[in-house]
Each structure stands twice: as C-alpha cells, then as structure tokens.
Amino acid sequence: MGEFIGREVELEVSKIAHGGIAVGRLDGRVVFVTDAVPGETVVARISDDRKKSFWRADAVRILEPSEHRREHVWSAASIDRDPRGRAGGAEFGHIALSHQRELKRQVLAEALQRMAGIESDVKVEQMPGDHAANGLGWRTRIRLHVDEQGRIGPMASRSHSVIPVQEVPLASAAVQAATPFDERFEGIATVDVLAPTRGDARLVLGEQKPTVIRERVGEREFQLDDTGFWQVHREAPGVLSAAVQQAVDDALFDPRAANLDLYGGVGLLAAAVGDRFGPTTRITSVESDARATDHAAENLSDWVGAAAETARVDRWLRDAEQNASTAERDRLRAATVVLDPPRSGAGTEVMGILGRLAPAQIVYVACDPVALARDVALAAEAGYRLDHLRAFDLFPHTHHVEAVARLVRD
C-alpha cells in the first residue's frame, strides 16, 4: 500500500458522509473526498490508500462545480492551497449556508433510517443572527495549537501539522480581537481564547490553572472554569435550554420523581428543567468532572430538590440499578432523564441500564447524529420510541449538527 498516494484522479461525488466528507467512487472503490460538494466532478489527490474497502482523497481542482459552491469563508482553508496546508475546523466553509443545513439534515435522517429504522423529515434550524453574518463570528471559544516556531493556528484536517493563521473568521469579534496571532509561544501546546458573556476576553495557555468565569443565559448566571466545557455558539446555551424545556412532556413530568441530568456539566440543562417546573423540582445532575460538579451545586442552589454528584454516568447508573430500594426504583421509573453525552454518545451500557430503570421519558441532547441514531435503536430494544426531534445548526461552516430528541415508553 502507498503506491497510489499523491496520484490525482477524476471523481464524481454523489453524497455527503458522516464527518462532512463527500463520497465518490473509483473503479468500484469508495473514495472519501474532502473539500467537495455532492454533485460535483473534481480532480482529487489520493491521500490514503491503506484500506481495501475505501481510500481518502482531497479535492484540488473543481471541473464541474455545484451550484451550492462558494468561495471559502476562510482563506487559510481554500481549495487553492495545498491540502496539507489547509486549516482545519471549517470543512463546510465552501458550501452555501442553507445547503450546509440540508447536508446535515441528510446525514441525520440517513443515520436514523439506517440504524434505527426511523424515517424523519426533521429540518436543521439556523441560529438567530447567523444568516445576516453568513455563519461567521459565532464562536465564543477557540483552541489554537503551537508549532515548532511558537506560532499559533489550527491543525490541518486529519493531521497534527499546525497551520499559522492571521484570522479566525468563525470566532466572535471579541475572540478575534483577543487572539495573539503575532506572538510566539514556547513550551506550551495550546492557546485557548474565550470571551465569556460576563467580563473580558482571556487566554488560557497550555495546562494553566483554571479560574472561575461567569456566563449569562437569559436572566440566569452560571459559574464555571475558564478551562471547562461550555457551549461554543453564542446562542447555544439559550437555544438548547429552551429546546430541552420544550422537549419535556409535562404530562409525563413529575417534580417529585428522581429526575436526572446525566453528563450534566455545570448544570445548564438541569437549570432549564428547574426553571420550567419550579423551585420544588427534584433533579440530580451527574458529572464526572469534580470541579464542574462543584460549580453545578452552586448554579442549582435555587432549587431545594436539586443536587450535583461527581461520578461517571455509567458507574452512577450501575450503582442505582443495583442498590436502589423499591421506593427509589419507583421514583426513577417516574423520572424524566436529560442526557447530554459527549460526541461518542451514551452507549450500550448506559442505554441498557436506563432501559431497565424505565424512566417516563428521556430527553437526549446529541452532538453526533450517528451516536444518537445508535442510542435511539438501543432504547427501542427496551420499549422506547422517538416521538420528538429537533435539530440545530450550532456549528456553521462545519459538519457538526446538534439534535434534541425525546424518547418515551410505548
């Protein structure tokens, strides 16, 4: 293997695959092609021929462009550059914004059909302000890497090569202004730049000790570490809070049940549930990061029945299943469970235990459509069906899409 790497071939690309890569065929073999748009004919350079079943390639010239192709929003990622020198992190930046959402819809719908047998006509909703801004200026946080000369930039796609840049157009104006493009950094691997809604923009250099910041969502403030997780799009915390509130079926919600917010972070979604159902709402947020749990305890202090526990979700659920009393099992069966897992999804064990605990409803916040579809299929084995689904374009000019789903028992 390796004899075809670097060879340029002509390909017709027909569809988009999970991960935002277009799909073509060469002599019957699948070729995944970056920087192409379905419907195009391109010249692509083979970058990986190690697999018998598929190869990888990068578009280098467009012979027949799609009507949806646009000049890339980030010159550092333009098709005019050598593929090894293209900045990663904006892999849909050459596609019209409305068509990006259509491609994301296709990926989500295909995953649900293929993995869960569900036909879906869900639309991907754009965020306020993104149309006018052409999907730019939404990131309130960025992570840049440091090269051997101390320069900062993103990594190239599927590479550990750092691409020095002088702009980050997906970042908010405050983040862009605070990014030290011309400085040199030695002895650290990363430079994070963030602009919280309260206070000034700041840098986090490498493994710097965390400090506490505050983020505002509607009328509520949340404390968290500047090194901790927070939704990146400026509108995402408010949009997801509202989407979760809408997704909870109030006919199935019992404020006295053992309601759960799993992978709860600093308590954003638990607070959304509490705000909808009132100060006596009982809800426990479970999060493996101890500092995030400490912040969640403070952020959820308005609710008498709210608690935050530090534990891996799978272990916490395993313990609940094994040790819950009959009364506790009844409260879990009456519960609403909010799930916001990492990109890998909740997975077999977590979904299996939830199926056996049989809560009244599961509200699943997903940042990966394939993981969501897999977990919906796992839930179906325990008698749950998908009866509510929304999708949001929280990551314009990238392939990522967020979804909020509700699962209820048949």
Side-chain angles (χ1 to χ4, degrees), residues 53-98:
S53 56
F54 68 88
W55 288 352
R56 295 187 181 276
D58 302 293
V60 293
R61 293 191 303 281
I62 309 303
L63 301 180
E64 296 181 17
S66 164
E67 62 181 304
H68 305 294
R69 176 172 284 277
R70 300 290 184 270
E71 182 177 352
H72 205 290
V73 297
W74 195 3
S75 60
S78 170
I79 197 170
D80 297 331
R81 296 172 65 114
D82 185 281
R84 294 167 295 183
R86 296 176 193 165
E91 63 277 2
F92 273 7
H94 61 290
I95 305 173
L97 202 57
S98 60

Coordinates of all heavy atoms in Angstrom, one line a residue, residues 53-98:
S53 N -11.2 -1.4 1.3 CA -12.6 -1.0 1.1 C -12.8 0.4 0.7 O -13.8 0.8 0.0 CB -13.4 -1.3 2.3 OG -12.9 -0.7 3.4
F54 N -11.9 1.3 1.1 CA -12.0 2.7 0.8 C -10.7 3.4 0.8 O -9.8 3.0 1.4 CB -13.0 3.4 1.7 CG -12.5 3.6 3.1 CD1 -11.7 4.7 3.5 CD2 -12.8 2.6 4.1 CE1 -11.3 4.8 4.8 CE2 -12.3 2.7 5.4 CZ -11.6 3.8 5.7
W55 N -10.6 4.5 0.0 CA -9.5 5.4 0.1 C -9.9 6.8 0.5 O -11.1 7.1 0.6 CB -8.8 5.5 -1.3 CG -8.1 4.3 -1.8 CD1 -7.8 3.2 -1.0 CD2 -7.5 4.0 -3.1 NE1 -7.1 2.3 -1.8 CE2 -6.9 2.8 -3.1 CE3 -7.5 4.8 -4.3 CZ2 -6.3 2.2 -4.2 CZ3 -6.9 4.3 -5.4 CH2 -6.3 3.0 -5.3
R56 N -8.9 7.6 0.8 CA -9.2 9.0 1.1 C -8.5 9.9 0.1 O -7.4 9.5 -0.4 CB -8.8 9.4 2.5 CG -9.6 8.7 3.6 CD -9.2 9.2 5.0 NE -10.0 8.4 6.0 CZ -11.2 8.7 6.4 NH1 -11.8 9.8 5.9 NH2 -11.8 8.1 7.4
A57 N -9.1 11.1 -0.2 CA -8.5 12.0 -1.1 C -8.9 13.4 -0.8 O -9.9 13.6 0.0 CB -8.9 11.6 -2.6
D58 N -8.2 14.4 -1.4 CA -8.5 15.8 -1.2 C -8.8 16.4 -2.6 O -8.0 16.2 -3.5 CB -7.4 16.5 -0.5 CG -7.0 15.9 0.8 OD1 -7.8 16.0 1.7 OD2 -5.9 15.3 0.9
A59 N -9.9 17.1 -2.7 CA -10.2 17.8 -3.9 C -9.1 18.9 -4.1 O -8.8 19.7 -3.2 CB -11.5 18.5 -3.9
V60 N -8.6 19.0 -5.4 CA -7.6 20.0 -5.7 C -8.0 20.9 -6.8 O -7.5 22.1 -6.9 CB -6.2 19.4 -6.0 CG1 -5.6 18.7 -4.7 CG2 -6.3 18.4 -7.1
R61 N -8.9 20.5 -7.6 CA -9.5 21.3 -8.7 C -10.9 20.9 -8.9 O -11.3 19.7 -8.8 CB -8.7 21.1 -10.0 CG -7.3 21.7 -10.0 CD -6.7 21.8 -11.4 NE -6.7 20.5 -12.1 CZ -5.8 19.5 -11.9 NH1 -4.8 19.7 -11.0 NH2 -5.8 18.4 -12.6
I62 N -11.8 21.8 -9.3 CA -13.2 21.6 -9.5 C -13.5 21.7 -11.0 O -13.3 22.7 -11.6 CB -14.1 22.6 -8.7 CG1 -13.6 22.7 -7.3 CG2 -15.5 22.2 -8.8 CD1 -13.7 21.4 -6.5
L63 N -13.9 20.6 -11.6 CA -14.1 20.5 -13.0 C -15.6 21.0 -13.3 O -15.8 21.7 -14.3 CB -13.9 19.1 -13.6 CG -12.5 18.6 -13.4 CD1 -12.3 17.2 -14.0 CD2 -11.4 19.5 -14.0
E64 N -16.5 20.4 -12.5 CA -17.9 20.8 -12.7 C -18.4 21.2 -11.3 O -18.8 20.3 -10.5 CB -18.7 19.7 -13.3 CG -18.3 19.3 -14.7 CD -19.2 18.2 -15.2 OE1 -20.3 17.9 -14.7 OE2 -18.8 17.6 -16.3
P65 N -18.5 22.5 -11.0 CA -18.9 22.9 -9.6 C -20.3 22.8 -9.3 O -21.2 22.9 -10.3 CB -18.4 24.4 -9.6 CG -18.5 24.8 -11.0 CD -18.1 23.6 -11.8
S66 N -20.7 22.5 -8.1 CA -22.1 22.6 -7.7 C -22.6 24.0 -7.6 O -21.8 24.9 -7.4 CB -22.2 22.0 -6.2 OG -23.4 22.3 -5.6
E67 N -23.9 24.1 -7.8 CA -24.5 25.5 -7.7 C -24.4 26.0 -6.2 O -24.5 27.2 -6.0 CB -26.0 25.4 -8.1 CG -26.8 24.5 -7.2 CD -28.2 24.4 -7.6 OE1 -28.9 25.5 -7.7 OE2 -28.7 23.3 -7.9
H68 N -24.1 25.1 -5.3 CA -24.0 25.5 -3.9 C -22.6 25.8 -3.5 O -22.4 26.2 -2.3 CB -24.5 24.3 -3.0 CG -25.9 23.9 -3.4 ND1 -27.0 24.7 -3.2 CD2 -26.4 22.7 -3.9 CE1 -28.1 24.1 -3.6 NE2 -27.7 22.9 -4.0
R69 N -21.6 25.7 -4.4 CA -20.2 26.0 -4.0 C -20.1 27.5 -3.9 O -20.6 28.3 -4.7 CB -19.2 25.4 -5.1 CG -17.8 25.8 -4.8 CD -16.8 25.1 -5.7 NE -16.6 23.7 -5.2 CZ -15.8 23.4 -4.2 NH1 -15.1 24.3 -3.6 NH2 -15.7 22.1 -3.9
R70 N -19.3 27.9 -2.9 CA -19.0 29.3 -2.7 C -17.5 29.4 -2.5 O -16.8 28.5 -2.1 CB -19.7 29.9 -1.5 CG -21.2 29.8 -1.6 CD -21.8 30.8 -2.6 NE -23.2 30.8 -2.6 CZ -24.0 30.0 -3.4 NH1 -23.4 29.1 -4.2 NH2 -25.3 30.1 -3.4
E71 N -17.0 30.6 -2.6 CA -15.6 30.9 -2.2 C -15.5 30.6 -0.7 O -16.4 31.0 0.1 CB -15.2 32.3 -2.5 CG -13.7 32.7 -2.1 CD -13.4 34.1 -2.5 OE1 -14.2 34.8 -3.1 OE2 -12.3 34.5 -2.1
H72 N -14.4 29.9 -0.3 CA -14.3 29.5 1.1 C -14.3 30.8 2.0 O -13.7 31.8 1.7 CB -13.1 28.7 1.4 CG -13.2 27.8 2.5 ND1 -13.2 28.2 3.9 CD2 -13.3 26.4 2.6 CE1 -13.3 27.2 4.7 NE2 -13.4 26.1 4.0
V73 N -15.0 30.6 3.2 CA -15.1 31.8 4.1 C -13.8 32.1 4.8 O -13.6 33.1 5.4 CB -16.2 31.6 5.1 CG1 -17.6 31.5 4.5 CG2 -16.0 30.3 6.0
W74 N -12.9 31.1 4.7 CA -11.6 31.2 5.4 C -10.5 31.0 4.4 O -10.3 29.8 3.9 CB -11.5 30.2 6.5 CG -10.4 30.4 7.5 CD1 -9.5 31.5 7.6 CD2 -10.1 29.6 8.7 NE1 -8.7 31.3 8.7 CE2 -9.1 30.2 9.4 CE3 -10.7 28.4 9.1 CZ2 -8.5 29.6 10.5 CZ3 -10.2 27.8 10.2 CH2 -9.1 28.4 10.9
S75 N -9.7 32.0 4.0 CA -8.7 31.9 3.0 C -7.7 30.8 3.4 O -7.1 30.1 2.5 CB -8.0 33.2 2.8 OG -7.4 33.7 3.9
A76 N -7.5 30.6 4.7 CA -6.5 29.6 5.1 C -6.9 28.2 4.8 O -6.1 27.2 4.9 CB -6.2 29.8 6.6
A77 N -8.2 28.0 4.5 CA -8.7 26.7 4.2 C -9.1 26.5 2.7 O -9.8 25.5 2.3 CB -9.9 26.4 5.1
S78 N -8.8 27.5 1.9 CA -9.2 27.5 0.5 C -8.7 26.3 -0.3 O -7.6 25.8 -0.1 CB -8.8 28.8 -0.2 OG -9.0 28.8 -1.6
I79 N -9.5 25.9 -1.3 CA -9.0 24.8 -2.2 C -7.8 25.2 -3.0 O -7.1 24.3 -3.5 CB -10.2 24.4 -3.1 CG1 -9.9 23.0 -3.7 CG2 -10.5 25.4 -4.2 CD1 -11.1 22.4 -4.4
D80 N -7.5 26.5 -3.1 CA -6.3 26.9 -3.8 C -5.0 26.6 -3.1 O -4.0 26.6 -3.7 CB -6.4 28.5 -4.0 CG -7.5 28.9 -4.9 OD1 -8.0 28.1 -5.7 OD2 -8.0 30.0 -4.7
R81 N -5.1 26.2 -1.8 CA -3.9 25.9 -1.1 C -3.7 24.4 -1.2 O -4.6 23.6 -1.4 CB -4.1 26.2 0.4 CG -4.3 27.7 0.7 CD -4.6 28.0 2.1 NE -3.6 27.6 3.0 CZ -2.9 28.5 3.8 NH1 -3.1 29.8 3.7 NH2 -2.0 28.0 4.6
D82 N -2.4 24.0 -1.0 CA -2.1 22.6 -1.0 C -2.9 21.9 0.2 O -3.0 22.5 1.3 CB -0.6 22.4 -0.7 CG -0.2 20.9 -0.8 OD1 -0.4 20.2 0.2 OD2 0.3 20.5 -1.8
P83 N -3.5 20.7 0.0 CA -4.3 20.1 1.0 C -3.6 20.0 2.4 O -4.2 20.1 3.4 CB -4.6 18.8 0.5 CG -4.6 18.9 -1.0 CD -3.5 19.9 -1.3
R84 N -2.3 19.8 2.3 CA -1.5 19.7 3.6 C -1.4 21.0 4.3 O -1.1 21.0 5.5 CB -0.2 19.1 3.3 CG -0.2 17.7 2.8 CD 1.2 17.3 2.2 NE 1.5 18.1 1.0 CZ 2.6 17.9 0.3 NH1 3.5 16.9 0.6 NH2 2.8 18.7 -0.7
G85 N -1.7 22.1 3.7 CA -1.6 23.4 4.3 C -2.9 24.1 4.5 O -3.0 25.3 4.8
R86 N -4.0 23.3 4.4 CA -5.4 23.9 4.6 C -5.7 23.8 6.1 O -5.7 22.8 6.7 CB -6.4 23.2 3.8 CG -6.2 23.4 2.3 CD -7.2 22.5 1.5 NE -6.9 22.5 0.1 CZ -7.4 21.6 -0.8 NH1 -8.3 20.7 -0.4 NH2 -7.0 21.6 -2.0
A87 N -6.2 24.9 6.6 CA -6.6 25.0 8.0 C -7.8 24.1 8.2 O -8.8 24.1 7.4 CB -6.9 26.4 8.4
G88 N -7.8 23.3 9.3 CA -9.0 22.5 9.6 C -10.0 23.3 10.5 O -9.6 24.3 11.1
G89 N -11.2 22.8 10.6 CA -12.2 23.4 11.5 C -13.3 24.1 10.8 O -14.2 24.7 11.5
A90 N -13.2 24.2 9.5 CA -14.3 24.9 8.7 C -14.5 24.1 7.4 O -14.5 24.6 6.3 CB -13.9 26.3 8.4
E91 N -14.8 22.8 7.6 CA -14.8 21.9 6.4 C -16.0 22.1 5.5 O -16.0 21.6 4.4 CB -14.7 20.4 6.9 CG -15.8 20.0 7.7 CD -15.7 20.3 9.2 OE1 -14.7 21.0 9.6 OE2 -16.6 19.9 10.0
F92 N -17.0 22.9 5.9 CA -18.1 23.2 5.1 C -18.1 24.6 4.6 O -19.0 25.2 4.0 CB -19.5 23.0 5.8 CG -20.0 21.5 5.7 CD1 -19.2 20.5 5.1 CD2 -21.2 21.2 6.2 CE1 -19.7 19.2 5.0 CE2 -21.8 19.9 6.1 CZ -21.0 18.9 5.5
G93 N -17.0 25.3 4.8 CA -16.9 26.7 4.5 C -16.9 27.1 3.1 O -17.1 28.3 2.7
H94 N -16.9 26.1 2.2 CA -17.0 26.3 0.7 C -18.4 26.1 0.2 O -18.6 26.1 -1.0 CB -16.0 25.4 0.0 CG -16.3 24.0 0.2 ND1 -16.0 23.4 1.4 CD2 -16.8 23.0 -0.6 CE1 -16.3 22.1 1.3 NE2 -16.8 21.8 0.1
I95 N -19.4 25.9 1.1 CA -20.7 25.5 0.7 C -21.7 26.6 1.2 O -21.6 27.1 2.3 CB -21.1 24.1 1.3 CG1 -20.1 23.1 1.0 CG2 -22.5 23.7 0.9 CD1 -20.3 21.7 1.7
A96 N -22.7 26.9 0.4 CA -23.7 27.9 0.8 C -24.3 27.5 2.1 O -24.6 26.3 2.3 CB -24.8 28.0 -0.3
L97 N -24.6 28.4 3.0 CA -25.0 28.1 4.3 C -26.3 27.3 4.4 O -26.4 26.4 5.1 CB -25.2 29.4 5.1 CG -25.1 29.4 6.6 CD1 -23.8 28.8 7.1 CD2 -25.3 30.8 7.2
S98 N -27.3 27.7 3.5 CA -28.6 26.9 3.5 C -28.3 25.5 3.1 O -29.0 24.6 3.6 CB -29.6 27.6 2.6 OG -29.1 27.7 1.3

